Amino acid sequence: MMSLPELIILDVGHGNCAILRDTNGVIIIDCPQGVTLIETLENLSIKEISHILISHADADHIAGIINLLSNETIKINKVHLNPDLCRETETWNDLLIALKDARLRLGTVVSTELTTTKTGQLNVGQVLVEILAPTPELALVGGVGRSVDERRLNPNSTSAVVGLVHDSHRVAILGADIDQVGLDQLLKERSDLKADILVFPHHGGKPGGADGKAFAQQLCDLVKPNLVVFSIGRGRFDNPREEIVEGVVSSVPMAHILCTQLSKKCAGQRS
């Protein structure tokens, strides 16, 4: 087994995918369509996944999980995700079919809750895996409707935000697609969000209807990252948006900025 944990953030184009190789197991967080994840697992000789965490139901976070679930050479023990009551896409339906097949054929456990109550229950070694958002009450809305304080929600608002803590030090926050409403809900529960690495939400795209620069400033003021990662596909949606990068730079001017694929928005920044 490994003596120290390792976090691998994959270049999967427009989407998110990360591998946590902990000392007693492996955790996968999201994955879009493509072969990058499976090829990486094969190159690393990984044959078993302890947990798959699915932040929300967008195709650029779940489509690659379908391929992984159907792979006959990799054992998957547990999959964790929240319900999405308004999702009617073909990709979401394909994921549900793949989950059922894995549950019946392989004994994969499917947990329909990935909320703050899971913090500490997903550890497979030295890393404390935090679910910083959503709360159980927010997840029950199913990505549609309003929060208890009457704010309109969408699936991005209820994205699962993952924190990784090693030796009592938060190394990374993976922000999924959380928007301003989701961030405000998170801050009602906790404000201790400092981390070395921030995988920026929504690939550096618009945070819902909020001002992008102000959102980036607020988030980076809270996290104070040394490294900000934008997981992007070059030429897709023109991410990261200029106002997002401006907000990051104005908040943490000494932070390094990295795009998983070369981008003019990142090229002029510290990297």
Side-chain angles (χ1 to χ4, degrees):
M1 299 301 295
M2 299 175 61
S3 59
L4 287 172
E6 179 180 37
L7 175 64
I8 303 171
I9 299 171
L10 295 180
D11 171 10
V12 289
H14 180 81
N16 281 104
C17 186
I19 303 172
L20 172 63
R21 298 176 73 195
D22 208 342
T23 48
N24 291 314
V26 175
I27 296 175
I28 304 296
I29 306 169
D30 286 346
C31 190
Q33 185 66 44
V35 298
T36 303
L37 173 59
I38 290 178
E39 288 184 348
T40 302
L41 294 174
E42 290 174 348
N43 289 336
L44 295 173
S45 299
I46 294 173
K47 301 294 185 182
E48 183 172 352
I49 308 299
S50 303
H51 302 286
I52 294 177
L53 312 183
I54 298 176
S55 67
H56 65 302
D58 284 355
D60 56 344
H61 293 255
I62 67 170
I65 302 300
I66 299 168
N67 294 336
L68 183 57
L69 287 165
S70 61
N71 187 288
E72 296 184 354
T73 64
I74 300 174
K75 180 183 178 182
I76 298 168
N77 294 328
K78 295 182 180 180
V79 181
H80 308 263
L81 72 168
N82 292 319
D84 190 326
L85 301 182
C86 64
R87 192 68 58 166
E88 296 179 351
T89 65
E90 182 177 347
T91 303
W92 178 246
N93 289 333
D94 287 345
L95 175 64
L96 300 182
I97 292 169
L99 287 170
K100 180 179 180 180
D101 175 70
R103 179 174 59 83
L104 296 177
R105 180 170 54 88
L106 304 173
T108 299
V109 175
V110 180
S111 170
T112 56
E113 182 181 17
L114 187 60
T115 71
T116 52
T117 61
K118 288 288 187 177
T119 292
Q121 298 181 26
L122 305 169
N123 308 344
V124 289
Q126 299 178 11
V127 175
L128 167 64
V129 179
E130 304 174 300
I131 305 303
L132 299 170
T135 61
E137 300 79 26
L138 207 61
L140 284 172
V141 179
V144 63
R146 295 180 181 274
S147 63
V148 292
D149 58 355
E150 292 299 313
R151 298 190 69 179
R152 184 168 294 281
L153 302 170
N154 61 58
N156 286 349
S157 307
T158 56
S159 291
V161 177
V162 178
L164 303 175
V165 178
H166 182 247
D167 284 344
S168 301
H169 178 81
R170 187 179 292 111
V171 176
I173 288 178
L174 291 80
D177 280 0
I178 194 169
D179 59 10
Q180 184 68 63
V181 174
L183 178 59
D184 291 345
Q185 297 295 320
L186 187 162
L187 292 175
K188 290 181 178 180
E189 297 288 318
R190 60 191 305 169
S191 58
D192 55 324
L193 298 179
K194 194 173 186 304
D196 294 336
I197 301 168
L198 172 64
V199 180
F200 201 91
H202 207 203
H203 325 284
K206 292 192 67 173
D211 177 83
K213 182 175 181 179
F215 174 81
Q217 288 174 323
Q218 180 188 19
L219 182 56
C220 288
D221 284 347
L222 290 163
V223 178
K224 296 180 173 57
N226 299 318
L227 172 65
V228 178
V229 179
F230 293 103
S231 186
I232 64 166
R234 186 167 55 252
R236 290 288 304 276
F237 306 109
D238 198 32
N239 288 335
R241 296 175 65 90
E242 288 185 8
E243 65 270 24
I244 294 287
V245 176
E246 289 174 1
V248 171
V249 172
S250 65
S251 174
V252 283
M254 299 305 293
H256 294 273
I257 295 177
L258 182 149
C259 287
T260 53
Q261 294 191 0
L262 185 62
S263 163
K264 292 181 180 178
K265 311 287 182 54
C266 293
Q269 310 300 329
R270 286 165 52 87
S271 60

